[in-house]
Amino acid sequence: MPKATPKANSYAARIKAVNEIYDRHAKSGVSNRDIWRRYIYPQFGIAERTLYNYLK
């Protein structure tokens, strides 16, 4: 029987994935709002304010 993954791990994994996407595109000079609008919102469906909370 496989181990059950606690819900906290999925939250941490989502934050890690969002930060990786942000870091990849921020180095190329794209604005925060464009990164959120083009790459993060379509994949994760989070608000811009949530993005900033994840980046903290």
Side-chain angles (χ1 to χ4, degrees), residues 36-56:
W36 169 74
R37 188 182 307 141
R38 293 181 192 175
Y39 306 107
I40 295 173
Y41 181 76
Q43 186 174 358
F44 296 98
I46 62 173
E48 188 176 6
R49 180 69 190 156
T50 305
L51 168 67
Y52 293 127
N53 288 332
Y54 283 6
L55 295 177
K56 282 186 190 178

Side-chain angles (χ1 to χ4, degrees), residues 27-41:
K27 292 178 184 176
S28 63
V30 180
S31 71
N32 290 349
R33 181 163 284 170
D34 283 340
I35 293 171
W36 169 74
R37 188 182 307 141
R38 293 181 192 175
Y39 306 107
I40 295 173
Y41 181 76

Side-chain angles (χ1 to χ4, degrees), residues 10-34:
S10 64
Y11 178 72
R14 186 170 55 245
I15 290 176
K16 183 178 177 183
V18 167
N19 277 302
E20 287 173 357
I21 292 171
Y22 177 82
D23 289 341
R24 187 177 330 130
H25 297 289
K27 292 178 184 176
S28 63
V30 180
S31 71
N32 290 349
R33 181 163 284 170
D34 283 340

